[in-house]
Amino acid sequence: MAAPLSSITDILFTDTKRTRFTTNTNTNTATTNPNPNPLKPKTRRKNFPIHCTTSKSNPEAPSTTTKKNPSLSEQLTPLANKTLSTSIGIQPNVLSKPKSTWVNPTKPKRSVLSHQRQKRAPYSYTPQLRDFQLFAQKINECGNSDDEFSDMVKEIPHTLTRENALLVLNSLKPWPKTHMFLHWMRTQNLIPMETIFYNVTMKSLRFGRQFQLIEELAHQMFHDGIELDNITYSTIISCAKKCNLFDKAVYWFERMYKTGLMPDEVTYSAILDVYAKLGKVQEVINLYERGRATGWKPDPITFSVLGKMFGEAGDYDGIRYVLQEMKSIGVQPNLVVYNTLLEAMGKAGKPGFARSLFEEMIESGVEPNEKTLTAVIKIYGKARWSRDALELWERMKENGWPMDFILDMKQSEHTKPDSYSYTAMLNIYGSEGDVDSAMELFEEMSRLGIQLNVMGCTCLIQCLGKAMEFDDLVRVFDVAIERGVKPDDRLCGSLLSVLSLSQGSKDDEEKVLSCLRKANPKLVAFIQLIVDEETRFEAVKEEFKVIMSNASVEVRRPFCNCLIDICRNKDLQERAHELLYLGTLFGLYPGLHNKTNSEWCLDVRSLSVGAALTALEEWMWTLTKIVQREEALPEFFLAQTGTGVHKFAQGLNISFASHLKKLAAPFNPSEEKAGCFVATREDLIYWVRSKFSSAAVAT
């Protein structure tokens, strides 16, 4: 009998379809051949151990018929049938490639037990689930009396378990039913009472603002030896805050700390808000820093609470501290935080910082809502930033932002429109020329008893003056005076502006003068002085100095502009030139004239129409004298009026161009710069010489 033959059969798979079959004798392990060429990929090699046994049987005679070389599969078939299946201790490897699975390296290693092998039956397959859902629905629909509830719980479909009890408690919507079912569970003693049962019930009671019942359950847990966890304390504290029981919230928070439990994010935010509403600023700061020391990362709600607290106190440094903390932690403010900080900036009297914060909010992609725009409008109104309020109004229309925020504020339970909100809207309506809306808002303020402040009165008078509604103007002014509004220089400037625009009857002019006389009698006396042609220049100069010295700096130039307009309306051209000279003499028009080697410029953008035309006449007369004296001139002359985009500047460009045409001055609109008129040196010299030549011929 021949000795058994043990061999290892190696099958080498290459990248091609060809397969090489080799047999290594006298070895018990697979051999691995090194790759002779490191630049080529190694072949993938699978070792199949085959145990073969020989016998004495004679081999079959080879067939004389010519056959094709058998395939590898045909060669392996006899071995598999005769030898491989008889091997007990050795199993072949699987030839199929296993399905690749991506593993997230950042997550913990997957459990050894496969989810496919250990399937949990979902609740929908649990027969008792449907029964307990229907049972909870019946309890929700039954009455709140003890008898009805007792009759209903007798119909419990199955024996109560922990899971079924939680299902019922979470399914009961009215808080009385949740409280009654918990009490029934406790009295029946069907299952051990756990903390989670009380937590679910307390959350339902918190929704109903039933703090007294929640506190009773907490004491009951102490009595029965049931542990209060973080969720329990958080629910108690947040319910006390919701019910405005701030002292109770502080009491339970301190009790929580004594037990050694660390507050979570919700509890920290709630108790910080409680301390803030109690005005305990230092306690809030200490608690915040203590939480940060323990690794707590505040959420946007926390920073909203801090910002509101510092805003109520008008603490600008505190608001800056909140912003710095948010940036250092990496918390991106949301809409609620931005609104809170904007309101805080308004209360702190920082309109510039509020504007920067609003722009930062827009750039970050947060879209403002009614509350945001209300806060910003109120800030601009309080700061009397009329131009910023108008620009915001234009952006609101352009971007489709909510514009009826006054209506939204009136419908809100927490935020009601105040005097500054109405003032901002009066400013917007007045600038839009919407007299009906402005007067409707004024009537509403009178009906609601909202005080009309001096800025609101100023905006409304300016609006009515432009619309030539003099009767309503007088009525608004009289109502404002009766309600204690003290006219300031801006209100007087508004009345003066209306007077300069009035070119109607003597009666209308006298109505405006009567209001202005109540506001500033000295100003009315000066108007009467300058319109008298017999008044000498020296007298005008002295009184002009007194009027401007008594006026605030920001209204001095508008005063002078209006006074010049009044003189031009009365065809007192010489007096208008005297007032322009006095305004220039006292430094009211510092940028009126600008000179370089190549260009002389007349900048009338800060002047009224009458004052601008007067300045143009004065400039042309001066240039004429220079040409006649044959003094050196620049190459270009520029008159700058601006484009008139702003409503207060509309009409200046048109009036200026019309007056240039009347004077036949050699100025043409600039093709490169809008709102500018340009003349060359040659054109100006030719115009002066031709003008005087014509005058000489005429004489």
Side-chain angles (χ1 to χ4, degrees):
M1 183 176 181
L5 173 64
S6 297
S7 65
I8 300 279
T9 302
D10 292 354
I11 301 176
L12 279 72
F13 295 93
T14 63
D15 293 336
T16 64
K17 296 296 183 180
R18 298 177 60 188
T19 306
R20 182 163 55 89
F21 179 83
T22 62
T23 303
N24 298 331
T25 59
N26 299 329
T27 181
N28 294 324
T29 58
T31 59
T32 304
N33 295 326
N35 188 8
N37 190 352
L39 298 179
K40 293 183 179 181
K42 294 182 180 181
T43 58
R44 291 180 296 137
R45 182 170 185 165
K46 295 185 179 293
N47 299 326
F48 293 84
I50 301 177
H51 185 78
C52 300
T53 305
T54 59
S55 64
K56 290 183 179 181
S57 58
N58 295 325
E60 297 179 359
S63 173
T64 58
T65 308
T66 304
K67 296 182 179 180
K68 294 182 179 180
N69 292 332
S71 64
L72 177 62
S73 176
E74 293 173 347
Q75 296 179 35
L76 291 177
T77 299
L79 293 174
N81 294 335
K82 296 180 180 180
T83 63
L84 191 59
S85 60
T86 60
S87 177
I88 299 176
I90 306 175
Q91 297 294 334
N93 294 331
V94 182
L95 290 176
S96 61
K97 182 180 179 181
K99 185 178 180 181
S100 61
T101 303
W102 182 82
V103 179
N104 189 347
T106 62
K107 289 189 175 182
K109 188 177 181 181
R110 187 180 179 183
S111 175
V112 176
L113 296 178
S114 172
H115 294 291
Q116 297 178 353
R117 292 174 56 192
Q118 303 291 334
K119 288 185 178 180
R120 281 188 175 184
Y123 285 114
S124 58
Y125 297 152
T126 305
Q128 296 182 2
L129 174 65
R130 181 63 179 169
D131 297 338
F132 274 99
Q133 286 178 337
L134 294 175
F135 174 66
Q137 184 177 353
K138 290 179 180 179
I139 296 179
N140 284 328
E141 295 173 354
C142 76
N144 292 329
S145 65
D146 293 337
D147 294 337
E148 289 181 286
F149 181 80
S150 299
D151 294 338
M152 185 58 62
V153 292
K154 292 178 182 178
E155 300 180 9
I156 188 169
H158 304 282
T159 303
L160 191 67
T161 63
R162 180 181 184 275
E163 289 74 17
N164 294 334
L166 286 174
L167 172 64
V168 174
L169 286 172
N170 282 300
S171 301
L172 295 177
K173 299 303 180 184
W175 63 263
K177 303 294 179 61
T178 311
H179 184 251
M180 293 169 70
F181 189 78
L182 179 73
H183 178 70
W184 177 82
M185 288 174 53
R186 183 170 177 267
T187 55
Q188 295 297 317
N189 200 21
L190 299 176
I191 56 176
M193 298 300 292
E194 300 181 19
T195 305
I196 190 172
F197 298 147
Y198 286 90
N199 289 344
V200 174
T201 306
M202 286 182 177
K203 288 182 179 179
S204 178
L205 294 173
R206 180 181 61 183
F207 183 78
R209 297 176 182 267
Q210 300 297 315
F211 178 77
Q212 184 176 356
L213 294 179
I214 289 179
E215 196 171 36
E216 290 177 1
L217 290 180
H219 289 299
Q220 189 179 105
M221 293 175 70
F222 281 119
H223 181 269
D224 295 345
I226 301 174
E227 182 181 2
L228 280 72
D229 61 7
N230 204 312
I231 298 176
T232 313
Y233 281 106
S234 177
T235 307
I236 297 172
I237 294 169
S238 57
C239 182
K241 169 182 168 292
K242 197 173 184 179
C243 298
N244 295 327
L245 301 174
F246 301 137
D247 293 335
K248 286 288 186 180
V250 173
Y251 165 77
W252 282 99
F253 179 75
E254 293 175 352
R255 188 163 185 170
M256 175 186 182
Y257 245 93
K258 292 178 181 179
T259 62
L261 286 174
M262 292 302 298
D264 57 7
E265 291 83 354
V266 178
T267 310
Y268 261 123
S269 299
I271 198 63
L272 281 174
D273 194 16
V274 169
Y275 278 127
K277 289 181 177 179
L278 290 174
K280 299 182 178 180
V281 179
Q282 192 58 44
E283 285 81 352
V284 172
I285 297 175
N286 293 338
L287 181 61
Y288 173 81
E289 293 178 350
R290 182 168 52 179
R292 292 287 296 121
T294 60
W296 166 58
K297 183 178 180 180
D299 57 1
I301 298 177
T302 304
F303 290 110
S304 178
V305 170
L306 294 175
K308 185 177 181 180
M309 178 189 69
F310 289 122
E312 293 289 343
D315 189 349
Y316 172 64
D317 293 331
I319 299 172
R320 291 182 59 190
Y321 169 75
V322 173
L323 291 172
Q324 292 173 357
E325 280 290 295
M326 295 182 70
K327 291 181 180 180
S328 63
I329 299 174
V331 175
Q332 177 64 33
N334 55 19
L335 181 60
V336 176
V337 177
Y338 274 119
N339 288 344
T340 304
L341 293 176
L342 284 171
E343 291 179 355
M345 288 297 170
K347 293 177 181 179
K350 298 294 180 180
F353 198 87
R355 179 174 56 187
S356 301
L357 189 63
F358 177 73
E359 295 299 334
E360 176 187 317
M361 169 185 169
I362 300 301
E363 292 177 0
S364 65
V366 179
E367 184 172 341
N369 62 1
E370 296 85 352
K371 192 172 183 180
T372 316
L373 300 173
T374 301
V376 178
I377 283 291
K378 287 175 64 176
I379 291 170
Y380 290 165
K382 193 173 183 179
R384 308 190 76 165
W385 286 8
S386 57
R387 180 167 297 183
D388 292 272
L390 291 174
E391 291 177 355
L392 177 60
W393 182 255
E394 295 296 331
R395 291 175 68 181
M396 290 165 61
K397 293 191 294 184
E398 180 181 349
N399 297 318
W401 293 341
M403 302 176 66
D404 296 329
F405 51 83
I406 288 288
L407 177 61
D408 295 319
M409 291 177 67
K410 289 187 287 187
Q411 295 175 347
S412 174
E413 297 180 359
H414 306 288
T415 305
K416 295 296 182 183
D418 57 6
S419 177
Y420 294 111
S421 303
Y422 279 100
T423 297
M425 288 307 301
L426 285 174
N427 183 24
I428 291 171
Y429 288 144
S431 301
E432 291 284 330
D434 192 349
V435 180
D436 294 336
S437 298
M439 286 303 297
E440 182 180 347
L441 208 60
F442 170 73
E443 298 295 346
E444 181 178 316
M445 294 176 67
S446 302
R447 187 172 60 255
L448 297 177
I450 297 176
Q451 180 66 33
L452 178 67
N453 57 32
V454 64
M455 182 182 178
C457 181
T458 302
C459 298
L460 196 53
I461 284 177
Q462 193 170 15
C463 175
L464 295 171
K466 288 183 178 180
M468 301 300 174
E469 299 289 344
F470 297 106
D471 292 334
D472 286 335
L473 184 149
V474 174
R475 182 168 67 90
V476 168
F477 181 83
D478 291 339
V479 169
I481 297 299
E482 290 175 2
R483 294 183 180 179
V485 174
K486 295 181 179 180
D488 60 359
D489 287 337
R490 294 189 182 185
L491 178 56
C492 294
S494 180
L495 289 169
L496 195 61
S497 174
V498 173
L499 184 63
S500 67
L501 295 174
S502 63
Q503 299 178 0
S505 64
K506 291 280 187 179
D507 184 44
D508 293 337
E509 182 177 319
E510 185 56 37
K511 290 177 182 178
V512 181
L513 280 174
S514 65
C515 296
L516 186 58
R517 189 175 290 109
K518 296 176 184 178
N520 193 336
K522 292 184 178 181
L523 185 58
V524 175
F526 181 72
I527 294 174
Q528 294 173 345
L529 180 69
I530 61 175
V531 297
D532 186 1
E533 296 184 7
E534 300 297 328
T535 305
R536 300 178 58 184
F537 173 72
E538 292 298 328
V540 173
K541 180 179 179 181
E542 291 299 323
E543 290 300 322
F544 182 88
K545 184 177 180 181
V546 173
I547 292 295
M548 294 304 167
S549 299
N550 293 332
S552 56
V553 176
E554 64 270 12
V555 301
R556 290 175 182 174
R557 183 167 59 204
F559 272 19
C560 190
N561 287 338
C562 293
L563 293 171
I564 294 174
D565 290 345
I566 292 172
C567 291
R568 291 189 70 93
N569 291 339
K570 295 183 177 296
D571 201 22
L572 300 172
Q573 307 295 338
E574 185 177 354
R575 186 74 75 196
H577 281 271
E578 290 176 353
L579 292 175
L580 178 65
Y581 167 75
L582 292 175
T584 306
L585 180 65
F586 289 106
L588 303 183
Y589 304 106
L592 183 59
H593 297 283
N594 299 289
K595 291 184 178 182
T596 63
N597 294 332
S598 60
E599 179 183 279
W600 288 0
C601 177
L602 175 69
D603 190 348
V604 298
R605 288 178 295 179
S606 63
L607 277 67
S608 62
V609 173
L613 301 185
T614 305
L616 173 62
E617 295 170 353
E618 193 75 25
W619 194 43
M620 296 304 297
W621 182 81
T622 303
L623 292 178
T624 300
K625 293 297 182 182
I626 294 175
V627 171
Q628 290 177 341
R629 292 195 297 264
E630 297 183 354
E631 297 179 4
L633 294 171
E635 184 177 357
F636 295 103
F637 298 88
L638 181 69
Q640 193 168 4
T641 63
T643 57
V645 175
H646 197 276
K647 294 186 179 296
F648 296 115
Q650 287 180 354
L652 176 59
N653 188 281
I654 298 174
S655 300
F656 198 86
S658 177
H659 203 61
L660 283 172
K661 186 176 181 181
K662 181 180 178 181
L663 297 175
F667 283 86
N668 297 308
S670 173
E671 297 180 357
E672 299 178 355
K673 191 174 182 181
C676 292
F677 298 87
V678 182
T680 62
R681 177 174 51 202
E682 291 76 13
D683 291 339
L684 182 65
I685 294 175
Y686 177 79
W687 173 77
V688 171
R689 290 177 177 175
S690 61
K691 180 181 177 181
F692 280 93
S693 298
S694 301
V697 171
T699 57

